[in-house]
Amino acid sequence: MPAIAQVEPMTMARALRGPFDYRLPEELRGGAVDVGSMLVVPFGRREVLGVVVGLAESSEVAAEKLLVPLRALELGVPADLVALAEWIATEYCSTIARALSLVLPPGAARRLSGRKRRDVARPRHLSVGSRSPHPPALTADQEAVLGSLAAPLMQRRAEQRLLHGVTGSGKTEIYLRAAAIALEQGRGAIVLVPEIALTPQIVGRFIERFGDTVAVLHSRLRPSERYAEWRRLRAGEARVCVGPRSAVFAPIDDLGLIVVDEEHDASYKHEGDPRYDARDVAAERASRCGSLLLLGSATPRPESAHRLPRSTLPRRVDGRPLPDVEVLDTRGVAPGLHPATAQALAEVRRARGKAIVLLNRRGWSNFLSCRSCGRVWSCPQCDVALVLHRGGGYVACHHCGHREPAPARCGECSSTSVARHGAGTERLQHELASVLDDGGFPVFRLDADAVAAGGDGAVAGLVAPAGDCGAGALLRRFEQAESGALIGTQMVAKGHDFPDVTLGVVLDADATLRFPDFRAEERTFALIAQLAGRVGRGGDGRVLVQTIAPQARAIVHAARHDSDGFLRGELERRQALGYPPFSHLIRIVCAAAESEPARAAAGALRECLSASLPASDASVLGPATLFRLRGRERQVLIVKAAERGVAVGAVGEAVRRVTGAERKSAGRYAGVNFSVDVDPQ
Ligand code: ADP
Ligand code: ZN
Ligand code: ZN
């Protein structure tokens, strides 16, 4: 009977190398503790939470030196999630403890104190939902797609499939039917969505179809509610989990299906260490569990289109055509609304219809400058300009969150003449409301600021019901309004579905193209195509795209609803430049208070990598200087490699070497932070 538990303490230090052996007391042997069990263990002078990653008969540590766990927690993590966490730690150059923290029950660390929890109540709004067990008859297109998914589902084959279907083509119905097949087989399902608040409809449809078998995990739940949902999944009471990227770690036994809805969405990439991509984690988990991975989108990523077998739904279920898209050239036109856009909005108001206007920039104006001395207000922590938020009376850094009162005068020359440059969503809302809102045409604003302010983004002064706040409330108010406009950042182009929107407008459509990022074209295409997908669902629709780059490939193809053409051209371009999916990228950022240590560390890393990576197979770009962020000077290296595993291994090794975790000679780069991003987004 194994007497030794190999325990990974949940501490976040990079230099720590576990696991550590503990001697199990009699009462914890014989099955009480297994891989995935959570123990409270003495560690140094502290008591920490530890996860059992292995069991053994004996230890290399002398018996009298072995410590004994203080106690075992009631619920552990399934063993297959421990293995998945180990994979993540390696794949994303992180540590086991950090990766394990992703798969622990919500609030696990806090429960260390051993306090009994009183309220494990289910989230209120989730237990309602009447079941409607009679799904609609499938269209012929849907029938064909589901037919091709049934075989792998029934035969428990690990397969991956891209479901490429235009908006409104009935993809969600396919997810529901595939989940039903998995459930019939006694298996479970995970459905990943970009953001619950922006896509309430899909959650509602799953609850309506499957009732209490559905658990929802998302960040807006209270901790006790999240824990209650996690427990229902762990106990097998719930077999379907719907949630954002972290739901890929839902503790579901015998998983038959993982769906990733809107698979192109950037929110699937986690921006904290480990920088995992939920789509790749889903693929790994599906292949380990013998489950079907189904990635759905109207605008799939070039990577997915290139790698995966594809099923298509080329038509909307209701047979309506996609809206006409007109590209408006704004070169030489006064900034703001193009005359054609202004006219179209006025027509929607006259007809008491609804419009959505997308401007991917928050705030009132992009930056402020002094008219007399030229000073630009910039962030003290980052080398970027501060954005004016007029309603709040402050200027803010959109990178670090720094805020200060909006200036009335220049601190350098005391001039009171402050120029405001550019326009963001706040100003656009104000301007549109002053032109359009005659009392019956409210102009709602949906962006991160409006959501943070509790969804009170309407100039019309409507009041949200008590307790009902955020993006969901805003979207509901727009839905319930008889007519009006919804303006905002890319949030307005996400998965919601309003039948009565007849006009869509994209302002400054090339703004996303100007990002120095090889995904800029893909993002721009998806943004326009997704917005077009929200328009004309109930009838006629029209989309206007304002741009100074009317010939840009992403814009031309989006205007034609030609995602195949876009993907073809984009894959050619990526191949020519050696970008993913034709290579793998790893981004390493060295950050420090001073630029010199950051530069030295990046140089040392580069040397290590050049020595260890085969030159035929990989190249190292940089170091290059990034703008100062949160008071840290930054240097970046990009590794571009054909063999992912080799490159990940070499980078992990190089970072360990330079940080001195391998040797005891730490200190040389002690003030430098290293962040490794495999498959940066
Ligand atoms: P997508 O996820 O591709 O945007 P949905 O699955 O949301 O599309 O379908 C769009 C609309 O069509 C929804 O209102 C849905 O209820 C409806 N729908 C889907 N499939 C069918 C069908 N076979 N028959 C009738 N209505 C359907
Ligand atoms: Zn000045
Ligand atoms: Zn800043």
Side-chain angles (χ1 to χ4, degrees), residues 105-460:
R110 252 179 296 115
R111 270 195 310 287
L112 212 169
S113 63
R115 258 189 302 123
K116 276 269 172 266
R117 327 178 41 79
R118 247 173 268 125
D119 60 334
V120 285
R122 295 195 55 203
R124 218 170 345 114
H125 66 281
L126 297 180
S127 36
V128 294
S130 56
R131 288 185 68 166
S132 83
H134 297 298
L138 296 183
T139 64
D141 287 339
Q142 286 172 319
E143 203 70 73
V145 169
L146 190 69
S148 75
L149 302 179
L153 275 171
M154 312 273 255
Q155 295 159 14
R156 301 175 161 249
R157 288 207 305 262
E159 274 195 26
Q160 303 186 3
R161 197 68 60 84
L162 172 63
L163 176 55
H164 184 183
V166 298
T167 43
S169 60
K171 294 188 290 299
T172 308
E173 188 58 40
I174 297 287
Y175 307 153
L176 288 159
R177 297 296 188 102
I181 295 176
L183 289 172
E184 277 161 23
Q185 305 280 310
R187 310 185 79 193
I190 292 175
V191 180
L192 301 183
V193 296
E195 229 171 305
I196 295 273
L198 296 177
T199 50
Q201 282 144 343
I202 185 165
V203 178
R205 284 168 73 184
F206 268 85
I207 292 174
E208 186 185 73
R209 186 83 43 102
F210 301 117
D212 275 351
T213 301
V214 179
V216 181
L217 289 177
H218 67 90
S219 57
R220 285 198 160 244
L221 296 180
R222 282 181 288 146
S224 61
E225 292 173 329
R226 284 173 62 87
Y227 183 64
E229 290 295 84
W230 191 91
R231 270 184 75 119
R232 290 203 313 123
L233 289 163
R234 184 75 178 99
E237 291 161 33
R239 297 289 285 147
V240 178
C241 179
V242 185
R245 64 172 177 260
S246 58
V248 75
F249 303 112
I252 296 178
D253 250 10
D254 194 9
L255 195 59
L257 171 74
I258 307 182
V259 169
V260 183
D261 188 29
E262 311 287 2
E263 70 97 22
H264 60 277
D265 197 273
S267 71
Y268 289 120
K269 177 81 180 184
H270 181 63
E271 291 305 341
D273 191 339
R275 296 175 170 272
Y276 72 89
D277 188 317
R279 295 162 292 204
D280 294 332
V281 175
E284 180 65 20
R285 190 167 180 193
S287 90
R288 286 166 181 250
C289 302
S291 24
L292 174 69
L293 174 71
L294 184 59
L295 302 173
S297 177
T299 55
R301 291 175 298 163
E303 284 93 329
S304 307
H306 181 66
R307 284 188 194 133
L308 302 180
R310 177 156 33 160
S311 303
T312 52
L313 291 173
R315 282 169 286 270
R316 282 180 166 178
V317 172
D318 57 15
R320 294 191 201 280
L322 289 160
D324 280 336
V325 180
E326 291 158 55
V327 178
L328 301 173
D329 188 347
T330 51
R331 283 174 297 185
V333 177
L337 296 187
H338 189 283
T341 306
Q343 196 189 342
L345 281 166
E347 275 163 24
V348 170
R349 184 186 60 162
R350 209 171 305 128
R352 293 288 158 206
K354 286 187 187 174
I356 299 181
V357 183
L358 190 161
L359 173 62
N360 211 5
R361 216 162 37 222
R362 293 185 286 130
W364 185 273
S365 49
N366 317 350
F367 71 97
L368 301 176
S369 72
C370 170
R371 280 214 174 85
S372 118
C373 77
R375 173 199 177 190
V376 169
W377 273 263
S378 55
C379 179
Q381 299 292 317
C382 318
D383 289 336
V384 297
L386 295 172
V387 175
L388 174 65
H389 292 257
R390 210 188 69 161
Y394 59 87
V395 286
C397 171
H398 285 183
H399 290 271
C400 74
H402 167 86
R403 279 185 186 189
E404 50 190 82
R409 65 177 61 238
C410 174
E412 313 269 303
C413 74
S414 299
S415 158
T416 53
S417 183
V418 178
R420 298 166 173 178
H421 305 270
T425 45
E426 187 188 7
R427 181 162 167 187
L428 179 68
Q429 178 191 28
H430 182 85
E431 288 180 357
L432 287 185
S434 69
V435 189
L436 298 173
D437 190 6
D438 51 4
F441 197 84
V443 178
F444 299 94
R445 170 159 61 92
L446 178 61
D447 59 22
D449 303 311
V451 170
D456 192 20
V459 162

